[in-house]
Amino acid sequence: MQQYFEVKRGLPRDTLLLFRLGDFFELFFDDAVTASRLLGITLTKRHETPMAGIPAHACDNYVSKLLAAGKKVAICDQAEPAKAGKLVRRQLTRILSPGTTLAANQLDAARNHYLAALALDSRGLHAAWLDLSTGEFRVASDAHIANLLPVLTALDPAELLVVEGDRERWAAAPHEQTNVHALHAFCTGRLVSELPGYHFDLATGAKTVMDTLGVLNLQGFGLAHSHPGLGPAGALVYYATENLCAKPENLRGLQEYRSAQTLLLDPATLRNLEIFSSTRGSREGSLLQAINRTATSAGARLLERWLASPTLDLPAVQRRQALVGEFLTQPTRLAEIHELLGTVRDIPRILGRLQNRLRNPRELGGVRDTLTQIPRLRAVLAGFGAGAQLSRLHAQLHELPTLRQLLNTSLAEELPNDLADGDYIRAGHDPELDRLRSLTTDNKTWLSDLERAEQERTSIRSLKVRFTNNFGYYIEVTKANLHLVPADYIRRQTTVGGERYVTEALKQKEKEIFHAEENAQARELELFNRLVATVLDESVALAQTADALAELDVLAGWGLLAREWDYTRPVIDESEVLEIVEGRHPVVEQVLRSPDAAIPRGASAAFVPNDTLLACDDAQIALITGPNMAGKSTYIRQVALIALMAQIGCWVPAKSCRVGIVDRIFSRVGASDDLARGNSTFMVEMNETANILNNATDRSLIILDEIGRGTSTYDGLSIAWAVVEHLHRGAERGARTLFATHYQELTQLEKYLPRLRNFSVAVKEWNDEIVFVRRVVPGAADRSYGIQVARLAGLPLSVIDRAKTILAKLESDDTTVSLPAPQAKPKKKITIAPADDSQLSLL
Ligand code: ADP
Ligand code: MG
């Protein structure tokens, strides 16, 4: 127990310690109570000490569950084989936390897995993030929280590191510091580990980072030593080192993330546009899922990264578009590439594990299987012709023939997941291993020969030579034959059925067998470690190959997508327009065509395309009216999604498309429910709107859906009115904006705001039923058709009839009608002075 307390003392308080005792990992005290609750394992007591144990061979599974429950787990294992009567030395081998785990079964293969560190000071927000499973490592710093928080949200880190007490300070910030509160909200509900402030020190951080990367300065990464992100970066490296119980060995470099080079999508926009998950919280129905045709997990992760921080680097985007185009020229080859990619393994994570001492034979098998496919992939790529964009990727795929050859000749066909299982090195690869193994087999033959010889000598037909872990080799004789046992047998044990014996010769042989097995195992392990070292010698080439594979995968997938859904290559340039001809919503279009799509009454199954034309200095704001269910929300979102797809290099669902580069996309929905976070819906709506008005630039794209809906009609209308005016405020230009609203009154704004255009989603009326045609047409909607929609929804006909009567009376301005509804307001005449001071009658 003394060993236990020593190790436990050195751990952070919230870490569960798994302590190896024989074939079990045991937890003690509070740890045992927690683990038994989370894992459903039995809580026992020894000398009043609560304890709970898990079998060592099933440890991985239990640990995964603890991590999933947001716990950190320290593993204290035996550092030497157990010997009877001697205290085994034990040591902490690693600490597993949600942000630093590496085991394949604890990671989602298709998602990046970040550990992030944050620090806020008078100069702004500083951050660093690290995917330990792949070695991706970045720093960032921005004077404005609003510029950095979006990307952090999109990264969705598994664990955060912050300075002790910072979260309380952020929570207590004055109310008007909404960005600090947003930062606090970002931390809420995530696993946060607090570290003392000195771990975030800038100078120490720079040094720690350089030591770990093995460089003398950071100029090679284009980073100044005074970059404030190096403080959090140092904290990350410190934390990772503590958890691995060794320096992380797979960090390839440090890159700076610059918000000015990235299209920003703030958290509310990510949610509203359903980029990574649908509003119901599943991947199903998200943009990510709709445009993901990758065959590898590394490809899926790259796509996620591209979506989380789309680049503003035009040439880079155009390169990706061109690559998709090249793929499309040869559909057969494209299909072949996609298929071959399906057979490569997750090299970045394999390297991450091998470099960080998490080694098992299958990892090497993964490298072997991947290298086997590279020559085939290169051959197919070569078929696309020289000079093409693809030849750049072709050049990044390294065949590494020597390594491939070595792995093929040394590794067994079928590989165990655990080194202890042995037999992972192929026979014939190493003469010494073969010799040691043959000793073992020879000995086995000797044993069966012995059995036969002893049966003859003693005339005991049932005599058996057997083996158990506790007793080693022995001769078993049943009760009935005990009188035949020769004098040279030495009795070892009595069992129910008979007696167990050994002989001098058997004892001698047992020693030889154990010795030979031990030697063979040691030799095999030595060969394995040498293989790992050889693989790691090529880690730079392997990592580059893996990068190229991931890029090929995303782009080939987009080629397939473009073919399947008839996408077009958008023109992306420095202009200030957004022009889409026959655009479609990438997700809704796919949903509608799926066999189990629920098509509402009065609608057709085919997606109806629509055009868009926005320009900062001309048709800046499109105001879209139309009845509920007409397709307003779908339309404005489709425009934002098409712009976003264009900016990550994907082709788009349209006939033609031109996107003047967009620096931020904002999307807000009126009265979106956020009660879970304790805010009234209206407050959330207004917070989010404030964020747009404060942060949008002329280059931004703004999607507003029913803003103002969360409050009473007059309030809501007035706010919506003022927001539109604000967005239009500049004399010459402003952010391209789509505003969907059910406030008919807003359509009058067209008269006062020269860059505002009215559109409506057309419907037809037929036999008092409404038919949705899904066409966006110029001009304001004539009325809202609420009653017809309510009828489609199945409201009782009596209610529909009554509503019609009331409406008719309201419209005839007959104030003598007694209205039963308590919330009915008397009609008032109100006037508002628009920005240009002319009087406008609203109602
Ligand atoms: P609104 O915002 O005007 O109430 P929505 O955009 O929510 O309407 O659209 C209602 C439904 O109509 C959507 O769920 C979608 O299935 C369908 N829809 C919308 N636009 C189209 C379109 N262009 N083509 C086909 N169906 C559409
Ligand atoms: Mg809507």
Side-chain angles (χ1 to χ4, degrees), residues 617-629:
D617 56 358
D618 184 23
Q620 182 213 332
I621 301 177
L623 189 83
I624 295 128
T625 42
N628 269 319
M629 281 301 288

Side-chain angles (χ1 to χ4, degrees), residues 308-615:
S309 50
T311 175
L312 295 183
D313 176 4
L314 272 183
V317 175
Q318 284 156 349
R319 241 188 338 263
R320 291 180 199 163
Q321 295 181 330
L323 274 157
V324 175
E326 285 175 29
F327 276 130
L328 281 168
T329 59
Q330 304 200 34
T332 325
R333 285 212 169 84
L334 170 59
E336 246 175 286
I337 286 182
H338 183 71
E339 197 162 309
L340 281 171
L341 283 168
T343 62
V344 310
R345 301 270 303 275
D346 197 343
I347 295 295
R349 286 202 169 154
I350 289 178
L351 283 178
R353 285 191 286 269
L354 289 178
Q355 284 169 320
N356 290 310
R357 299 175 304 126
L358 220 76
R359 299 176 168 184
N360 76 52
R362 284 208 191 140
E363 311 282 12
L364 287 188
V367 178
R368 171 193 64 189
D369 297 347
T370 306
L371 286 179
T372 311
Q373 300 298 356
I374 301 293
R376 293 179 198 156
L377 268 165
R378 283 175 56 104
V380 183
L381 281 178
F384 284 92
Q389 282 289 347
L390 279 172
S391 59
R392 178 179 58 86
L393 289 176
H394 183 265
Q396 277 178 38
L397 294 176
H398 302 284
E399 296 198 6
L400 302 174
T402 324
L403 180 60
R404 183 181 70 227
Q405 173 79 10
L406 174 65
L407 291 173
N408 268 320
T409 52
S410 57
L411 289 175
E413 203 75 43
E414 296 286 323
L415 292 166
N417 213 358
D418 192 340
L419 277 174
D421 293 344
D423 277 340
Y424 42 86
I425 301 285
R426 202 184 267 274
H429 169 63
D430 178 61
E432 175 62 9
L433 178 63
D434 291 346
R435 191 181 67 81
L436 293 168
R437 277 181 179 159
S438 70
L439 281 183
T440 317
T441 16
D442 290 353
N443 287 328
K444 299 253 157 83
T445 329
W446 186 90
L447 287 171
S448 51
D449 287 350
L450 174 75
E451 190 175 84
R452 224 169 307 119
E454 291 299 309
Q455 283 169 359
E456 268 169 37
R457 175 161 80 103
T458 60
S459 327
I460 308 173
R461 299 277 308 279
S462 62
L463 179 145
K464 288 264 160 20
V465 175
R466 290 186 187 275
F467 173 82
T468 65
N469 269 325
N470 288 344
F471 291 95
Y473 290 95
Y474 56 86
I475 297 171
E476 193 169 70
V477 180
T478 54
K479 264 191 190 141
N481 294 310
L482 291 179
H483 61 284
L484 295 171
V485 167
D488 60 332
Y489 276 25
I490 309 161
R491 217 188 61 192
R492 269 290 151 86
Q493 200 192 11
T494 307
T495 62
V496 188
E499 303 277 345
R500 292 174 173 181
Y501 301 91
V502 291
T503 63
E504 282 306 328
L506 186 58
K507 277 204 282 188
Q508 179 56 35
K509 202 66 194 177
E510 182 183 84
K511 260 193 212 140
E512 278 175 39
I513 293 177
F514 286 165
H515 197 61
E517 274 177 0
E518 237 167 62
N519 284 343
Q521 269 171 20
R523 178 70 189 171
E524 195 169 16
L525 188 63
E526 184 190 331
L527 292 169
F528 176 80
N529 284 331
R530 256 193 254 166
L531 277 180
V532 171
T534 319
V535 167
L536 292 184
D537 281 344
E538 297 290 1
S539 57
V540 173
L542 283 169
Q544 200 182 33
T545 306
D547 286 349
L549 286 173
E551 199 175 331
L552 268 180
D553 190 21
V554 175
L555 296 170
W558 283 349
L560 295 172
L561 181 74
R563 244 176 91 75
E564 184 185 355
W565 292 97
D566 198 18
Y567 283 6
T568 188
R569 177 176 174 170
V571 174
I572 174 150
D573 56 23
E574 300 276 2
S575 73
E576 296 186 323
V577 302
L578 177 55
E579 185 177 7
I580 301 169
V581 177
E582 298 197 6
R584 284 120 50 203
H585 190 295
V587 181
V588 176
E589 172 180 44
Q590 293 186 21
V591 171
L592 282 184
R593 215 186 293 170
S594 75
D596 44 22
I599 313 292
R601 253 176 82 198
S604 80
F607 192 90
V608 180
N610 275 303
D611 301 345
T612 308
L613 178 57
L614 295 174

